Amino acid sequence: MNWLKSTLASVAGTQEPIYGPEAIQSVAQQAQQTPYTELTKDDLRWRAYQYTNVETETFYVMADSGDLVMVQVIYSNIAGIHTTAQFNSKIFNLKGDQPHIWHSDPLYNFMFDESMLSFGADNLALTLNEEGNAYTIKSAVNEDSLVNLTFTRAAPGFVVGKDGTSYFGTDPANPWGSMMHAFWPRCRVEGTITTKEKTYDLTGRGMFIHAIQGMKPHHAAARWNFVNFQTPSYSAFMMEYTTPPSYGSTVVNVGGIVKDDEIIYAGATNSATHTASAHDADSDWPAPTSIKWVWEGKSKDEKDVRAELEGPLGNRLDRVDVMAEVPGFVKTIAGSVAGTRPYIFQYSPQEKLSLKLKIGDEEVSEEGSMFSEATFIS
């Protein structure tokens, strides 16, 4: 009966009943035995599930020029009936004196290659190379955002736990939903984005995330916190979500710290705390003004690892009203559920913060560039 209720909720957008925390098998349970698993080329395949899900490949650039950029392919399926794809690109204006250069365009005639490793559509190609260590994104989908970027993995990619996935459902053997994240935390980026005004040279550092929300997004998560922090020597990231009360308001947090060619720490024992916030009148959410991120665990050779990143977020980069900005198909998935007000608050402090890292008895601190999101849904 619960399965039927969940299916109904998924198709109709109704709120889910209270199943309790035992109805989520968090990836943190896997991570107790297997903190992380390095990605192989095979692990990078698109899944393209035939049921309600949203699958994304997102690329973040922190260019040597100081530019901050995101490009993203979204592939989504609604109840196995309708598939759509979208290409998003955003060049952030860090000074705050002009609008961001944001484009979100539907894709047509989209398809995967036979291996499911590369994706194409009219005027777009997202291609994984033969070695499986570099993605090239070429897009002429929008003439005001001509994209030609290559992301080459500089440190091992991984999932937390065995498969990077949390499963939702009252019967662990037959889950009705899932949430998966896979990461290349540290990449070398080459290439450009050309707008009507100028060509941006985006040589620098980057991060790639493959994510699958194998259910309606607002059923899986009520809140999100995300940070991508790149320093000359290290890359640190964290992805945290809190489920709605239907799954016991369970917090799931995956993260890691890497340097070139090496994973220093990866696992599910991290925390993100809004240490100060201010009420945002337009969205009616408590937008953070300062966040403390803590990574804690063991290195491969069993040394204690602890890292902290903390400080004021500075002026908000953007506040994304998801319902106003996202394409229609995502709205269909989000549904007009009472009580969902999805807003994404984006930050990149221009007063540089430092990652404080302790491995065993060795302590280092290094300044870097940060991109962070705090998302409120319900």
Side-chain angles (χ1 to χ4, degrees):
M1 199 57 205
N2 270 341
W3 175 84
L4 179 65
K5 280 186 200 160
S6 180
T7 305
L8 263 174
S10 178
V11 175
T14 55
Q15 277 181 313
E16 293 200 289
I18 301 292
Y19 304 115
E22 56 283 355
I24 175 174
Q25 284 73 54
S26 165
V27 70
Q29 293 161 355
Q30 303 175 20
Q32 287 171 1
Q33 271 72 49
T34 309
Y36 64 90
T37 303
E38 286 194 25
L39 295 172
T40 65
K41 185 178 172 183
D42 266 1
D43 297 324
L44 299 170
R45 295 179 195 281
W46 287 82
R47 309 298 199 277
Y49 292 133
Q50 296 303 303
Y51 49 80
T52 294
N53 78 98
V54 180
E55 185 166 7
T56 55
E57 295 208 341
T58 309
F59 299 83
Y60 297 94
V61 188
M62 290 173 175
D64 296 343
S65 61
D67 289 310
L68 175 66
V69 167
M70 178 209 78
V71 297
Q72 179 183 56
V73 171
I74 304 178
Y75 177 85
S76 78
N77 185 315
I78 298 166
I81 300 162
H82 182 54
T83 55
T84 59
Q86 195 87 4
F87 184 67
N88 295 334
S89 67
K90 190 168 189 176
I91 302 171
F92 289 90
N93 179 326
L94 299 176
K95 294 194 187 97
D97 56 353
Q98 296 280 325
H100 306 294
I101 302 170
W102 157 251
H103 295 289
S104 183
D105 295 286
L107 296 174
Y108 299 100
N109 299 313
F110 47 86
M111 60 189 291
F112 302 95
D113 70 347
E114 260 178 71
S115 64
M116 298 295 285
L117 290 166
S118 297
F119 175 91
D122 290 352
N123 298 312
L124 178 113
L126 170 55
T127 313
L128 183 68
N129 68 348
E130 192 56 44
E131 296 75 40
N133 68 351
Y135 278 102
T136 300
I137 308 117
K138 292 188 176 179
S139 169
V141 171
N142 191 303
E143 60 187 29
D144 197 24
S145 177
L146 302 173
V147 178
N148 185 358
L149 292 172
T150 299
F151 279 67
T152 304
R153 186 167 52 72
F158 60 86
V159 292
V160 167
K162 292 190 185 79
D163 63 5
T165 307
S166 295
Y167 295 94
F168 294 74
T170 45
D171 175 4
N174 295 291
W176 59 54
S178 63
M179 179 82 78
M180 190 284 299
H181 289 93
F183 305 95
W184 283 5
R186 189 172 179 85
C187 302
R188 288 189 303 281
V189 182
E190 295 166 303
T192 57
I193 293 183
T194 301
T195 67
K196 287 194 177 102
E197 276 69 48
K198 65 180 272 193
T199 293
Y200 292 82
D201 176 359
L202 296 178
T203 304
R205 285 191 199 89
M207 178 183 190
F208 159 65
I209 303 175
H210 181 195
I212 304 170
Q213 300 194 35
M215 58 201 294
K216 287 202 170 193
H218 65 280
H219 285 173
R223 304 278 167 102
W224 289 90
N225 288 302
F226 167 61
V227 68
N228 165 18
F229 192 75
Q230 303 282 342
T231 81
S233 312
Y234 302 98
S235 300
F237 76 90
M238 203 183 289
M239 180 75 80
E240 177 188 274
Y241 63 93
T242 305
T243 71
S246 44
Y247 298 100
S249 300
T250 301
V251 177
V252 180
N253 185 315
V254 294
I257 298 167
V258 304
K259 59 182 184 181
D260 283 351
D261 302 321
E262 186 187 334
I263 297 171
I264 294 169
Y265 155 79
T269 46
N270 322 297
S271 64
T273 309
H274 293 195
T275 51
S277 57
H279 181 256
D280 177 64
D282 290 344
S283 65
D284 202 23
W285 287 119
T289 55
S290 183
I291 299 186
K292 181 177 185 178
W293 313 84
V294 178
W295 294 258
E296 207 154 14
K298 297 272 189 195
S299 67
K300 235 187 328 212
D301 49 6
E302 288 299 304
K303 286 183 180 155
D304 286 330
V305 176
R306 182 181 168 92
E308 288 187 15
L309 175 62
E310 182 180 14
L313 296 169
N315 291 335
R316 184 180 73 212
L317 265 188
D318 204 359
R319 181 191 58 218
V320 181
D321 174 351
V322 175
M323 287 315 215
E325 298 228 3
V326 297
F329 73 84
V330 178
K331 282 185 199 150
T332 317
I333 291 184
S336 52
V337 179
T340 58
R341 297 194 316 284
Y343 280 84
I344 305 169
F345 295 85
Q346 296 176 320
Y347 304 90
S348 183
Q350 295 307 291
E351 295 280 323
K352 298 277 191 233
L353 302 181
S354 291
L355 179 73
K356 297 185 176 80
L357 174 62
K358 188 175 183 191
I359 307 168
D361 299 325
E362 183 196 346
E363 288 190 58
V364 289
S365 177
E366 199 162 278
E367 199 173 78
S369 300
M370 174 170 136
F371 175 70
S372 173
E373 292 184 329
T375 303
F376 298 87
I377 299 169
S378 61

